[in-house]
Amino acid sequence: MTDADVTEQTSQHSGAATPVPYRSGFVAVVGRPNVGKSTLINALIGTQIAIASSRPETTRKAIRGILTTDNAQIVLVDTPGIHRPRTLLGQRLNDVVEESLSDVDAVAFLLPADQEIGPGDKRILSRLRSDFAVKRDDGTFKWKVPLIAIVTKIDELDRGALINKLIEINEFADFTDIVPVSALAHDNLNEVRNVLVENMPEGPQMYPSEQITEERPEDTIAELIRGAFLEELDDELPHSLAVVVDSIEYPQDNDSGESYSGKAQVIVSIYVERDSQKPIIIGHNAEHLVRVKKKLRTAVNRIVGQKAKLDLHVKVAKGWQSDPKQLEKLGF
């Protein structure tokens, strides 16, 4: 079924066509680190709002992407991967997951087709059961909200292997629905959209149609910068990198407050934990800073609404991942 089918579908009652009711709600997107949560959300929304990286534990906030169709609006909550915390930051990330699961209308549980179901998946299922299910007398579970299995990275398997994987996932838990998808190849995305819409309650549109995220411009730019460094530096990048947009300054006359033409200044602080990590971020002759600025020029201009200049400053916040005051300062 295509998006148009979902939009146009009507039911016949007393000889008259009745429009499909408008549906809206929140979907928590959960799964182990690095199973494609951010990639799927970006593909569904149609633009990058969350960092997609091959490094585990890339997402640090419950980013909310807003998907609006003609007859539905779904808020997708991209949770940090549930994991055993090793630092205070890790514990805070798990707390973010707890908060984002607290009041949702459905759960999308991502399971990669090219990996075995492992202890991490079982831990997540156990957590979801404690939050969203009631155990029946026969030992099975009754879900309070729809639990949808989204089988990602299907382009990695041939047809026979995929069928076996879907059977295995069907036996893993009592899912409301199972949808295979390749977000990178945009294969079966419409079906994912349709299944999510079908599982939303009837409700009003919550956000303007053109709004695609709940994030502030500062937060979106900070995430894009962190994502750009993840790609630029790959294995060299300290996991302790944090990015904060301190301010966005629009050109205006100091006395009259009148705006004038010119570039907006986006002042950014990039934090690492040790002095030895600063040169890694900056690069020889500041090459890494230059490349990140160049790569993000168009995206930042679009977010700010005019031409903008990124002003990047690399700073040291010693041991910030385990320091409550520093974590608060950095927005965790």
Side-chain angles (χ1 to χ4, degrees):
M1 193 187 286
T2 64
D3 286 347
D5 293 329
V6 175
T7 305
E8 297 299 327
Q9 191 181 37
T10 56
S11 60
Q12 301 297 321
H13 182 66
S14 303
T18 307
V20 172
Y22 199 89
R23 296 182 179 277
S24 63
F26 290 78
V27 177
V29 183
V30 304
R32 284 184 285 122
N34 200 25
V35 294
K37 296 185 293 294
S38 300
T39 302
L40 178 68
I41 287 178
N42 290 337
L44 287 169
I45 300 296
T47 189
Q48 183 175 0
I49 58 164
I51 298 178
S53 165
S54 58
R55 284 171 69 105
E57 297 170 29
T58 302
T59 300
R60 287 181 178 168
K61 297 183 178 181
I63 292 166
R64 296 184 169 195
I66 302 163
L67 171 63
T68 305
T69 69
D70 288 345
N71 67 311
Q73 189 170 73
I74 302 170
V75 183
L76 299 157
V77 186
D78 181 12
T79 57
I82 300 170
H83 62 289
R84 292 191 190 281
R86 295 185 301 276
T87 61
L88 184 56
L89 171 65
Q91 184 55 56
R92 293 273 170 95
L93 297 188
N94 277 2
D95 292 345
V96 168
V97 176
E98 190 76 56
E99 198 176 305
S100 55
L101 285 176
S102 62
D103 190 23
V104 296
D105 300 289
V107 176
F109 189 169
L110 269 61
L111 294 152
D114 62 340
Q115 295 170 34
E116 294 297 316
I117 291 173
D121 299 309
K122 291 169 183 167
R123 192 160 61 245
I124 293 169
L125 180 61
S126 172
R127 166 79 170 279
L128 292 173
R129 280 172 171 161
S130 68
D131 285 352
F132 296 112
V134 177
K135 198 168 188 177
R136 299 187 181 101
D137 292 340
D138 64 0
T140 59
F141 289 87
K142 176 176 168 35
W143 292 98
K144 301 175 194 170
V145 300
L147 178 70
I148 300 154
I150 297 183
V151 186
T152 60
K153 308 183 183 183
I154 60 171
D155 49 310
E156 300 288 334
L157 300 186
D158 62 31
R159 184 172 174 78
L162 178 59
I163 289 169
N164 290 335
K165 174 55 74 172
L166 294 176
I167 291 168
E168 180 192 359
I169 287 171
N170 187 50
E171 291 169 354
F172 174 54
D174 185 17
F175 290 108
T176 310
D177 222 319
I178 299 175
V179 193
V181 67
S182 170
L184 277 178
H186 285 241
D187 184 10
N188 221 30
L189 271 178
N190 278 347
E191 185 60 23
V192 174
R193 257 188 223 112
N194 294 341
V195 167
L196 293 177
V197 168
E198 286 161 10
N199 282 285
M200 288 297 96
E202 290 184 25
Q205 184 170 323
M206 300 173 284
Y207 298 90
S209 298
E210 66 278 3
Q211 188 172 340
I212 58 170
T213 181
E214 246 192 11
E215 295 283 284
R216 300 181 310 139
E218 289 86 348
D219 295 333
T220 303
I221 292 170
E223 283 293 278
L224 287 178
I225 291 169
R226 197 164 63 86
F229 276 109
L230 280 169
E231 283 184 31
E232 175 72 22
L233 297 172
D234 200 26
D235 292 340
E236 285 183 88
L237 183 82
H239 196 71
S240 54
L241 185 79
V243 180
V244 176
V245 173
D246 300 310
S247 64
I248 301 174
E249 298 172 3
Y250 293 89
Q252 63 178 34
D253 184 274
N254 288 337
D255 296 326
S256 67
E258 290 274 319
S259 298
Y260 59 83
S261 62
K263 290 187 176 181
Q265 293 274 108
V266 182
I267 316 295
V268 181
S269 294
I270 298 165
Y271 294 94
V272 290
E273 286 193 304
R274 297 190 297 279
D275 288 310
S276 60
Q277 294 171 334
K278 279 182 74 173
I280 298 173
I281 301 299
I282 295 167
H284 180 60
N285 290 334
E287 62 179 337
H288 295 150
L289 299 183
V290 170
R291 279 208 287 264
V292 165
K293 285 182 189 181
K294 190 174 179 182
K295 181 177 183 182
L296 296 179
R297 185 183 297 145
T298 303
V300 171
N301 290 349
R302 192 167 60 241
I303 293 165
V304 170
Q306 66 179 78
K307 286 191 174 177
K309 181 187 174 198
L310 277 178
D311 193 359
L312 306 178
H313 302 269
V314 183
K315 304 175 180 179
V316 177
K318 286 190 166 42
W320 69 263
Q321 291 190 87
S322 296
D323 181 338
K325 283 186 179 172
Q326 298 267 36
L327 281 171
E328 201 164 310
K329 179 183 169 187
L330 297 176
F332 295 105

